[in-house]
Amino acid sequence: MSPSSSAEAVPGAVPAPDEHHEHHPSYLVDGTTVKSWLLTLDHKRIGVMYLIWVLLFFLIGGTYALVVRLELLTPGPTIIDAMTYNRAFTMHGVVMIFLFMIPAIPGAFGNFMLPLMLGAKDVAFPRLNLLSLYLLLIGAVIAIWGMINGGMDTGWTFYTPYSTHTTTTVAPILFGAFIIGFSSIATGLNFIVTTHTMRAPGITWFKMPLFVWAMYATACIQVLATPVLGLVLLLVVGEQLFHFGIFDPARGGDPVLFQHLFWFYSHPAVYIMVLPSFGVMSEIVAAFSRKNIFGYRAVAFSSLGIAFVGFFAWGHHMFVSGQSTFNAGVFAVLTMLVGVFTAIKVFNWVGTVYKGAVDFKTPFAYFCGFLYFTVFGGMTGVAFATASLDVPWHDTYFVVAHFHFIMVGATIMAFMAAIHYWFPKMFGKMYHEGWGLVSAALIILGFNATFIPQFLLGNAGMPRRYYEYPERFQTLNVASTAGASLLALGFIVSAIYLVYALVYGEKAAANPWNSKGYEWLTESPPPTHNFVGPQPIYTEEPHFYVDPQKAEEPHAV
Amino acid sequence: MQSNAAAPAHPAGVPPVPQVAAHFASLDVQQHAARLGMWLFLATEILLFAGLFVIYANYRFMFHDGFAAASRHLDLMLGTVNTIVLITSSFTAAMAVHYAKEAKNKMVVVMFVLTILMALGFLVIKYFEYSHKFHVGQLPGPYFSDPNPELQVAGVPMYYAIYFLSTGLHGFHVVIGMIVLGWITIKANRNEFSGRNYTAVELGSMYWHLVDLVWIFLFPMLYLI
């Protein structure tokens, strides 16, 4: 099939380019001044700016990670003192979670793709969209200012009463996270309203691409959970400055209440991080298996299911906080329900690949890594949800390895897959496929080499966040640090060939993957108002990959 | 809402025709989007205060006697007056929407000015309540210094911490509401609203109802029980 055949497959979707002779510049060259970028209301430019910033934050967070790993090469002091180490792992967590994992896929790819996939000219509130980018940056600047001027040693969870008594600069970093929360709410609100009101004619709820479903579910969590985090962060700042005693047991306060309010946000926040990844992967698995997604409705509803159940699972962070056995049992079962919805997705992805004509390109390589990290990380999650198993593993490296597998592993796979899958659409250039596969292999291997030793370390009893450890843990720590170096090498390789492709890459066709997603029905890169001519009308489903020659009967949903 | 900011001042008696932003299919869709966005935003505001309500419930359970004792030392009279003032201001805000639909921009201005004045009255009463508490030392946490023997009960400083946090956060919302309504009043004064274009009045008014609603929860929670 030629790239243009996809346009014919959806009658009326996009007028053929030669019907309109006037020139429609792509969004990349429509205005080239700095101001035209910084004050743009175009969702695509805002998406690209998000991409640039989250990559910078990823670099900062990754550098802290390498510092932590280098420090743990030897049992005693290696390169930094204990206080610097505490600050380093705290900032690694804060930067990676609040500045990379949460905004990365919704900010960069959600902003860019969601309106295209809905046949809309922009998101519902373009100014709010730009504002949310700048709120993210303001929050980041305040947090990084706090980091440079003193830093914070509480760990990213800011547990009270320690966080209200430590002498390090907690207030600006928490305030930064508070502002970043506003950014997250604004993005989520914008996406919900866009999905409700901006769908092109023909895009019913069950014709929305699965990435849109995932972004919608994510946005619901962002809107419903983040205000509670905002309040609790404000209260901790208040405690730090005025010692009201809300969370301070010495003054009659209750630190476990902090944990409840904190995890009421931060556990759903895990799904803010992974649900977009699930959406990306649903697009990619269909595109590179050349098959309609297996169980479209099940995949769509399971996103909402995860978003819903995610709000009732926070208590599993408090199995060892003196919670009653009954509570522990209830939260254990509710937590395991997340596994049921995730399994629905995993089985449907595998069902999609089954008997598909797999085109093993770089995004599909990341899909394979993703499937493995999700299943492995998810299964260890079910193990953690079992209260009796959580007790010995609590706050060991087993936790660290588990949440890196599911949160970081799955999200990084999806982020890299999304960059590679949508790179031609976003920038109109092709990258080198061979190097793409090489770096995917390096990253997947490096990730395993980093975190499988940490599973073993945690199981052997090494606690997380400790500066020194007994001699017998050294071999596995060295292995983990070696893995981290491999991981870093993988990212450096992909950075090099992607930047090279940006400058010297050959021009991409409108639909280089022969994909059926709606976003491929416009040019690469898209013009400023997304589609040339009138608003498109969609008649097909977004993942309609069934070959019409082979299947005469209506396709299964 | 997006298009309104760009609307020019309109000296003549006829309100201007509202503009539809380039990315919306129609005015209806644009107004629907604005309303939906506002409802979602109000949901986040309610959740923000919900965190405080959870904290209140938790500590009321832990320090039942202290909370009961401290709550008796709030000025029920001033609290009731404030509640009446705020509910009345919510009524005038609702009337503003009614007049905006009929393109009676003068009345919109009148109603919003009344609303803002009542908001100011609310803050003035709050100021007298606060200064009394500062004076007698009914302050949060470590600053509590009231020697009254009735207040020497565990949990009283915690009660005042929650009192000042929740009324302070609510007062901050009152100030924001006054700014928002003031901005819409300026637009109404430029004769911008009509039956086809009253979204800004409607949304501003919705925000003011939220401020009122939160107070209707705070008043019994802090003053009555």
Side-chain angles (χ1 to χ4, degrees), chain A residues 123-124 127 197 235 243 246 254, chain B residues 2 23 32-33 55 59 142-143:
Chain A
V123 291
R127 287 183 215 168
T197 62
L235 289 181
H243 301 288
I246 299 266
D254 183 0
Chain B
Q2 304 277 339
H23 59 291
H32 176 52
I55 284 175
Y59 290 119
Y143 311 105

Side-chain angles (χ1 to χ4, degrees), chain A residues 244-330:
Chain A
F244 282 175
I246 299 266
F247 300 127
D248 182 358
R251 296 187 184 280
D254 183 0
V256 179
L257 184 59
F258 168 84
Q259 295 185 23
H260 279 292
L261 293 171
F262 179 80
W263 287 115
F264 180 79
Y265 166 78
S266 294
H267 193 75
V270 173
Y271 307 115
I272 298 179
M273 300 175 221
V274 296
L275 273 177
S277 323
F278 291 172
V280 169
M281 284 309 173
S282 300
E283 299 287 326
I284 284 171
V285 70
F288 291 91
S289 306
R290 312 292 320 143
K291 250 183 86 188
N292 196 356
I293 191 88
F294 184 86
Y296 168 88
R297 284 186 187 222
V299 177
F301 279 127
S302 61
S303 287
L304 294 180
I306 290 172
F308 182 71
V309 176
F311 277 103
F312 302 99
W314 82 88
H316 67 240
H317 293 271
M318 277 167 276
F319 283 157
V320 297
S321 72
Q323 199 177 38
S324 73
T325 315
F326 177 75
N327 281 0
V330 169

Side-chain angles (χ1 to χ4, degrees), chain A residues 63-65 67-69 71 77-92 147-148 150-155 168 465-467:
Chain A
T63 309
Y64 275 112
V67 169
V68 169
R69 275 319 325 160
E71 172 51 43
T78 313
I79 51 166
I80 48 178
D81 61 78
M83 194 57 180
T84 315
Y85 169 79
N86 290 346
R87 288 169 178 159
F89 76 68
T90 301
M91 290 328 299
H92 165 65
M147 217 191 279
I148 294 164
M152 183 171 71
D153 63 345
T154 63
T168 52
R465 293 177 173 169
Y466 275 35
Y467 177 62

Side-chain angles (χ1 to χ4, degrees), chain B residues 17 36 59 64 78 100-101 103 159 165 178 200 206 215 219 221:
Chain B
V17 175
L36 185 60
Y59 290 119
H64 180 266
L78 289 182
K101 281 184 194 170
Y159 176 87
L165 283 169
M178 287 165 72
M206 273 166 73
W215 178 257
F219 176 60
M221 183 177 113

